[in-house]
Amino acid sequence: MKTVNKIFSILGVSIALGMSSCVGDLDLEPIDPNQITPNRVTLEQIPQIMAKCYSSLAYSGQTGPDGDSDISGLDGGTSQYTRALFMLQEFTTDESKWIWPDAGVIDLVTNTWGNGNVNIFGTYSRLYTHIGVCNDFLRLVAPENLSSLGLIPSEEQQAEIEQYKLETRALRALSYYWALDLFGNAGFVDETTANGVPANQLTRANLYEWLVGELEELVTAFPDGTPVYGRVGKDGVEALLARVYLNAEVYTGTPAYDKCQQHCENIIARHQGEGFEGKGLVPAYMYLFCADNDEYMPGGGGVNEILWGIPQDGVNMQAYGGTMFLCAAGVSNLTMKDNGADMQAKNYGMSEQWGCMHATKQFSEKFDSNDLRWAMWCKAAQGFNIENTNFSAFTDGYGVVKFTNLLKGNISDPSQWNIADNTQNWSTANGGIYDPAGGAAREMKYPDTD
């Protein structure tokens, strides 16, 4: 079991740091002396408050997978940050399809959504809730605010606060990137915007200009070296900037491929000499998507090919989004005898099996038997049909396996795979590419996979 950094583990923090009642008689402090409020903060509590800027990417709310959500209109699982993004980015393409008739999701899958789609509204709300949390933290640690609270940081504490500010700005930039990419013209607020003031809507081009300016400044300001596990470092920030430049022509009409290339080359240069063939890569592709992929996260102790990741932990960090969603949705307990198909969730280290997301024919046809990724899927030999003839049938579409809860030691050496053999698959016990005993031994509801 990986150790999750303390900054992610403290969730009992108010997200309304800048909110107060407009009625003086109701401006009361909580009785609980440990409760943090805008007017009752210690310097030692600042890391705890900043934790919310990170945990908002992993959790839906404050009380775990079965609890509340920071936004209304969607249940806690559906509204989790990465799951909400996946629905809008992938369900609307010819890659993956969700077969359950969840509210609004089928409209995304069939490209029939309207402006009242709850998932579109929920994703927008999730992004701007996160932006608001980051803005609140930046307001809190502004020098004039700390001074007004009578807080005088030591030199060491001030250095930590300055680093927290850089990371919070990077986290906020991530959410503004998704707003730019998904919605084009989007509202803009920062820490200088007073609470209650409506957002100023920017054009897509203007939001792009702000975003690249912010990220260029952050790349310059971020220290070199490896960040604490679970937190963003220079590689992650520069990778985000390269991604923004990659689509500059879409956002502004003017390409910026030269800038994208330069920032990618900067990242590559920092990783030379490490990992596979000294290229900064992991030994095998699947290791990036298994339960001990934290080794390849920044601060994880190994080659950090994962430039920016979100920690997950089957015991300490549970959610119905994140990799729980990505692992469980693509697996089901099926037997040839009863279902005409062969798949077992335990072979992927999971006890939870939703059986509700598979590939489209168009996506499946992009791969062939010489592709290691293809060997991970359930295909015709396992009773899955490449055609999407019955929308509600899980096996009418190849079973896409990417994220698993297996340890890399449960996965056979890829150099030994006979990938030309189309029958070979995770769920094939004889000659397969996984260790069935190792998978079953891990059977977990929530995966450890970052």
Side-chain angles (χ1 to χ4, degrees):
M1 185 63 64
K2 67 173 74 82
T3 300
V4 181
N5 188 274
K6 182 180 178 182
I7 199 166
F8 282 93
S9 64
I10 305 168
L11 291 177
V13 181
S14 171
I15 66 169
L17 292 172
M19 304 297 288
S20 60
S21 170
C22 60
V23 180
D25 291 343
L26 298 180
D27 290 343
L28 304 177
E29 294 291 337
I31 297 174
D32 183 356
N34 297 313
Q35 182 68 46
I36 300 172
T37 73
N39 299 315
R40 195 168 67 192
V41 178
T42 67
L43 291 170
E44 291 71 25
Q45 290 169 328
I46 286 178
Q48 301 174 29
I49 300 170
M50 195 267 187
K52 183 64 181 182
C53 301
Y54 274 108
S55 68
S56 292
L57 303 181
Y59 296 97
S60 297
Q62 298 288 94
T63 57
D66 299 311
D68 59 349
S69 175
D70 291 338
I71 65 173
S72 60
L74 288 177
D75 68 74
T78 307
S79 69
Q80 189 269 339
Y81 192 99
T82 56
R83 181 172 173 178
L85 289 172
F86 190 95
M87 289 192 297
L88 265 59
Q89 292 279 20
E90 304 298 333
F91 288 172
T92 56
T93 71
D94 60 358
E95 294 185 18
S96 63
K97 297 301 178 186
W98 183 269
I99 67 174
W100 288 353
D102 294 346
V105 177
I106 293 300
D107 296 338
L108 297 176
V109 171
T110 56
N111 290 307
T112 57
W113 69 84
N115 60 9
N117 187 285
V118 65
N119 298 287
I120 297 175
F121 177 79
T123 303
Y124 192 89
S125 300
R126 173 60 65 189
L127 294 176
Y128 278 88
T129 296
H130 182 239
I131 289 168
V133 167
C134 293
N135 283 339
D136 268 348
F137 178 78
L138 292 172
R139 291 189 191 101
L140 172 70
V141 296
E144 61 274 16
N145 189 63
L146 292 180
S147 177
S148 71
L149 295 173
L151 301 178
I152 304 174
S154 66
E155 185 174 337
E156 181 180 357
Q157 288 172 324
Q158 187 59 47
E160 290 182 346
I161 289 172
E162 293 304 316
Q163 179 60 32
Y164 293 152
K165 287 164 66 175
L166 290 177
E167 293 176 34
T168 301
R169 289 170 61 190
L171 290 163
R172 180 179 63 181
L174 178 69
S175 285
Y176 269 125
Y177 163 71
W178 292 117
L180 169 77
D181 193 61
L182 287 167
F183 298 104
N185 300 343
F188 181 82
V189 288
D190 64 12
E191 69 276 20
T192 67
T193 308
N195 280 300
V197 175
N200 178 35
Q201 189 177 55
L202 298 183
T203 65
R204 187 177 233 182
N206 286 340
L207 183 54
Y208 167 88
E209 290 299 331
W210 176 85
L211 186 57
V212 296
E214 179 80 344
L215 289 171
E216 288 281 11
E217 183 178 317
L218 287 171
V219 167
T220 301
F222 253 81
D224 293 331
T226 305
V228 173
Y229 167 72
R231 289 163 62 179
V232 63
K234 190 167 191 170
D235 283 341
V237 177
E238 192 155 20
L240 177 59
L241 177 57
R243 186 166 181 159
V244 177
Y245 279 135
L246 179 66
N247 289 311
E249 189 171 9
V250 175
Y251 304 145
T252 69
T254 303
Y257 296 116
D258 56 335
K259 295 179 180 179
C260 173
Q261 178 180 349
Q262 182 57 63
H263 285 290
C264 289
E265 289 177 350
N266 293 345
I267 297 169
I268 292 169
R270 288 197 292 269
H271 288 254
Q272 292 305 291
E274 300 179 333
F276 180 71
E277 295 183 351
K279 296 179 180 178
L281 305 176
V282 303
Y285 170 80
M286 296 74 55
Y287 295 175
L288 295 170
F289 308 100
C290 62
D292 44 2
N293 65 351
D294 57 302
E295 180 180 338
Y296 309 114
M297 287 265 282
V303 177
N304 60 310
E305 183 177 338
I306 299 173
L307 300 178
W308 187 342
I310 301 173
Q312 306 276 266
D313 186 286
V315 175
N316 298 309
M317 299 186 71
Q318 300 177 348
Y320 286 110
T323 47
M324 165 64 165
F325 158 72
L326 293 171
C327 289
V331 300
S332 184
N333 289 331
L334 305 171
T335 63
M336 284 291 188
K337 177 182 177 181
D338 297 326
N339 310 103
D342 176 27
M343 184 183 241
Q344 294 295 309
K346 66 182 181 181
N347 292 336
Y348 308 94
M350 295 291 292
S351 62
E352 195 81 353
Q353 44 95 30
W354 297 355
C356 58
M357 187 164 63
H358 58 208
T360 65
K361 178 182 178 182
Q362 293 90 336
F363 186 60
S364 299
E365 289 176 340
K366 297 290 184 183
F367 298 82
D368 61 37
S369 60
N370 293 316
D371 194 317
L372 285 175
R373 295 169 296 178
W374 178 255
M376 300 167 69
W377 293 17
C378 284
K379 303 180 285 292
Q382 291 77 40
F384 286 72
N385 176 23
I386 194 172
E387 302 283 348
N388 307 115
T389 54
N390 182 353
F391 190 86
S392 62
F394 175 57
T395 55
D396 270 22
Y398 279 176
V400 179
V401 176
K402 183 173 183 178
F403 286 88
T404 76
N405 191 41
L406 298 175
L407 299 172
K408 62 178 183 292
N410 303 140
I411 304 170
S412 302
D413 181 355
S415 67
Q416 304 301 312
W417 298 1
N418 178 18
I419 59 176
D421 179 3
N422 198 44
T423 65
Q424 190 179 41
N425 185 269
W426 291 88
S427 58
T428 306
N430 296 321
I433 59 178
Y434 75 99
D435 171 7
R442 284 188 56 75
E443 283 186 82
M444 296 168 59
K445 179 174 182 178
Y446 301 99
D448 285 331
T449 312
D450 291 347

